[in-house]
Structures are given as structure tokens and as C-alpha cells.
Amino acid sequence: RSNRSSDPTVRVLVQRVTAAGVTVDDTVVGSIEPNGQGLVALVGVTHTDTAAVAGRLAEKLWQLRILDDERSAADVGAPILVVSQFTLYANTVKGRRPSWNAAAPREVAEPLVTAFADALRGLGADVATGVFGADMQVTLVNDGPVTVLLEL
């Protein structure tokens, strides 16, 4: 796959953080408190994505050198908070109301967000997650700030 806008793929908006958490209905459902740095991965899925794509993107994130001293999460064992984020596929070209047509439906997206988190765990990552489809409150302290959009 390419990263051309006409050939969409799983999108992961990555933020380097010093702390992060997800709350649903006043209950913390996932959090990371890194010893130094961690990552928040907001994951968006489109209709044609596969578990293989999610796995390749998880590996790319795990090896991405955006932590201090150009190190990766794999180098330092940085924890990762994974949160589903269908709004990464907002189409704002026309009008003032975004279209979500490019975002995959729940039955496609939920297993792929889970596959992404599981692939990270398989690589050795300490992973926390949000709750798919829930009204989540995500808190984080962006470090740097560093924010990167990953696509294949």
C-alpha cells in the first residue's frame, strides 16, 4: 500500500507522552504511567484494512524512533495506550460537517484495533487500551510536543 490519500490504510496518530489515561463512565479503563516516556496511539481503520496491515503498522510504531535520544518504544520498553479513533477518517473537503464514510464500520474496525494492540503485545509492548465505541475521555501529557501520523 502507499500513503496516497486515494489509497487509504490504517492510520495511527502517535503522541509521545509522559502520562495518559482513558476514562469511561467515570472509571479509568486504561492508563500508562511511563518511567520517562510512553506513546498514545489513536487508531483509525478504513473499509479495506486487514489484520496484516494492522500488524505491520504495530511493528512500525514499536520501532519508531521518536523518543529521547532517537530511541524507540522497543529500545526502552515504553508503554503504549491504544485508543480507537474513527475520526481520523473525517472527510472535510466539502461543507462544514465532516463525513465519516471512509471510516470502517464497527464489525470491521473493532477486530482490527484489537489486532493492532495484540500485535504490539506480541512484540513485547506493555499495552493499555480504551473501550471500542465508548464515549471515552482521553487525558494525556504530550511530551515535546511530538505528534506523528503513521500510515503504510
Side-chain angles (χ1 to χ4, degrees):
R1 291 184 174 227
S2 72
N3 62 0
R4 295 173 299 138
S5 60
S6 62
D7 187 16
T9 185
V10 173
R11 291 179 178 164
V12 179
L13 186 67
V14 181
Q15 295 184 309
R16 186 174 76 183
V17 300
T18 56
V22 179
T23 302
V24 175
D25 295 329
D26 297 322
T27 301
V28 175
V29 296
S31 66
I32 58 171
E33 294 184 24
N35 183 9
Q37 295 178 322
L39 300 173
V40 170
L42 305 174
V43 181
V45 178
T46 192
H47 301 275
T48 57
D49 286 324
T50 65
V53 169
R56 287 196 319 270
L57 206 51
E59 186 171 341
K60 187 172 185 172
L61 172 62
W62 185 234
Q63 298 295 331
L64 189 66
R65 298 188 171 281
I66 61 171
L67 300 178
D68 285 345
D69 299 322
E70 295 185 7
R71 294 185 296 173
S72 68
D75 293 334
V76 300
I80 302 171
L81 176 62
V82 174
V83 179
S84 62
Q85 187 77 33
F86 77 92
T87 61
L88 288 175
Y89 278 99
N91 182 338
T92 59
V93 173
K94 293 172 112 179
R96 294 178 288 168
R97 181 176 295 143
S99 166
W100 313 111
N101 291 342
R106 180 182 193 119
E107 58 272 9
V108 173
E110 185 172 12
L112 293 181
V113 172
T114 299
F116 178 82
D118 288 347
L120 283 168
R121 289 183 184 106
L123 293 166
D126 176 14
V127 178
T129 62
V131 176
F132 192 94
D135 180 15
M136 296 179 275
Q137 287 69 53
V138 180
T139 58
L140 60 93
V141 178
N142 192 319
D143 183 31
V146 174
T147 302
V148 177
L149 180 62
L150 293 183
E151 294 178 294
L152 291 179

